[in-house]
Amino acid sequence: MELLHSGKVRDVYADGEDLILVASDRVSVYDVVLPTPIPDKGKILTQLSLWWFDQLADLIPHHVISATDVPEEWAGRAIRCKRLRMAKVECVARGYLTGSGMRDYLRDGAVSGVPLPEGLVEASRLPEPIFTPSTKAPLGEHDEPMTFAEVEKEVGADVAARLRDVTLAVYRRGAEIAAERGLIIADTKLELGWDADGVLTLGDEVLTPDSSRFWPGDEYRPGRVQFSFDKQYVRDWSVSTGWDKTPPAPEVPADVVEVTRARYVDVYERITGTRW
């Protein structure tokens, strides 16, 4: 096998015509990889993605060939998958206003060029989910918001519409399933691409704590920052240290690692109904 790419949290190997996608225990915040891993994180994300791929298969094909035909050393954290020609944009759907979306709204009254009603507050539920794409930045650089018109210019009107529609459909399905389990999915980021036959395909990971914000539904209160079952805890810790969000990132204390791992495990168990 040949290492093709080592990303923020995943490594990609070539194995003949297939790819082996390996989810590490690395964690990134603000597009910077922290020096301290979160134990089992890669396995949790891989297994949760596999569960979601099954739930979404009628909406869009996925890239998974096998979750077991992988090198033994990566068992549980790797998948054998199709090669895809990836879309040149990050496909993001938001159902609630938080994070960078909240900051953009306060400045512009809009997110990625989508105008929103006046008077929204932190964690407001949006009238309907919106497509808020961004650029794909190189490692160590920050993704930048894109308007839909900019996506159309980048990939063409028909492809842009298809990316938007699929992203929103996946978000809606995921949010519906999560709601049945007492969870809110505030937003999510998808990776979409085309297989060898030109079929739009869902790749990478899907609806995991690294690509989405999960909130407990019974504690949801607009107007304040919500409890998150994702890496928001380690994001908040990193900000509290005074770190300027540029490399190198600080080492993560053991107690923060433990809490972050527990949140990954918790959301996995709530979503799948399976003990970790």
Side-chain angles (χ1 to χ4, degrees), residues 217-274:
D218 58 354
E219 297 179 20
Y220 171 65
R221 301 291 186 278
R224 62 173 173 83
V225 174
Q226 308 299 303
F227 177 95
S228 287
F229 286 105
D230 49 43
K231 63 180 180 181
Q232 190 62 45
Y233 184 81
V234 76
R235 277 197 200 98
D236 294 343
W237 165 82
S238 70
V239 171
S240 73
T241 67
W243 174 53
D244 64 1
K245 303 179 185 177
T246 63
E251 292 280 351
V252 185
D255 61 322
V256 176
V257 170
E258 182 178 352
V259 170
T260 303
R261 180 186 181 279
R263 293 194 183 185
Y264 279 107
V265 170
D266 196 0
V267 77
Y268 171 85
E269 293 182 342
R270 288 178 184 236
I271 291 290
T272 68
T274 304

Side-chain angles (χ1 to χ4, degrees), residues 80-94:
R80 179 176 296 275
C81 57
K82 300 177 184 178
R83 293 176 183 259
L84 301 180
R85 177 175 58 85
M86 304 308 297
K88 296 180 180 178
V89 297
E90 298 277 13
C91 294
V92 180
R94 299 177 189 271

Side-chain angles (χ1 to χ4, degrees), residues 206-223:
V206 59
L207 294 169
T208 72
D210 265 21
S211 65
S212 316
R213 286 185 175 91
F214 293 90
W215 299 338
D218 58 354
E219 297 179 20
Y220 171 65
R221 301 291 186 278

Side-chain angles (χ1 to χ4, degrees), residues 77-276:
R77 69 172 63 245
I79 59 172
R80 179 176 296 275
C81 57
K82 300 177 184 178
R83 293 176 183 259
L84 301 180
R85 177 175 58 85
M86 304 308 297
K88 296 180 180 178
V89 297
E90 298 277 13
C91 294
V92 180
R94 299 177 189 271
Y96 294 76
L97 194 58
T98 191
S100 63
M102 184 69 203
R103 292 191 294 273
D104 292 349
Y105 170 76
L106 292 174
R107 184 187 65 231
D108 305 326
V111 182
S112 290
V114 180
L116 295 174
E118 295 182 1
L120 299 182
V121 297
E122 170 65 34
S124 284
R125 183 173 182 174
L126 301 178
E128 61 181 6
I130 59 174
F131 181 56
T132 60
S134 66
T135 61
K136 284 189 174 181
L139 182 64
E141 298 183 20
H142 298 287
D143 297 336
E144 297 294 338
M146 299 176 73
T147 65
F148 187 69
E150 289 171 334
V151 177
E152 289 182 311
K153 185 176 180 180
E154 179 72 33
V155 300
D158 289 346
V159 171
R162 178 72 171 135
L163 295 177
R164 177 196 61 201
D165 294 348
V166 166
T167 300
L168 292 174
V170 168
Y171 172 77
R172 289 190 176 100
R173 172 71 61 82
E176 178 183 351
I177 291 172
E180 294 169 353
R181 291 153 171 78
L183 293 174
I184 291 170
I185 301 179
D187 51 43
T188 194
K189 179 178 70 174
L190 306 180
E191 295 279 0
L192 295 166
W194 293 267
D195 68 10
D197 296 321
V199 176
L200 187 63
T201 302
L202 185 58
D204 199 54
E205 63 179 330
V206 59
L207 294 169
T208 72
D210 265 21
S211 65
S212 316
R213 286 185 175 91
F214 293 90
W215 299 338
D218 58 354
E219 297 179 20
Y220 171 65
R221 301 291 186 278
R224 62 173 173 83
V225 174
Q226 308 299 303
F227 177 95
S228 287
F229 286 105
D230 49 43
K231 63 180 180 181
Q232 190 62 45
Y233 184 81
V234 76
R235 277 197 200 98
D236 294 343
W237 165 82
S238 70
V239 171
S240 73
T241 67
W243 174 53
D244 64 1
K245 303 179 185 177
T246 63
E251 292 280 351
V252 185
D255 61 322
V256 176
V257 170
E258 182 178 352
V259 170
T260 303
R261 180 186 181 279
R263 293 194 183 185
Y264 279 107
V265 170
D266 196 0
V267 77
Y268 171 85
E269 293 182 342
R270 288 178 184 236
I271 291 290
T272 68
T274 304
R275 293 283 294 174
W276 178 249

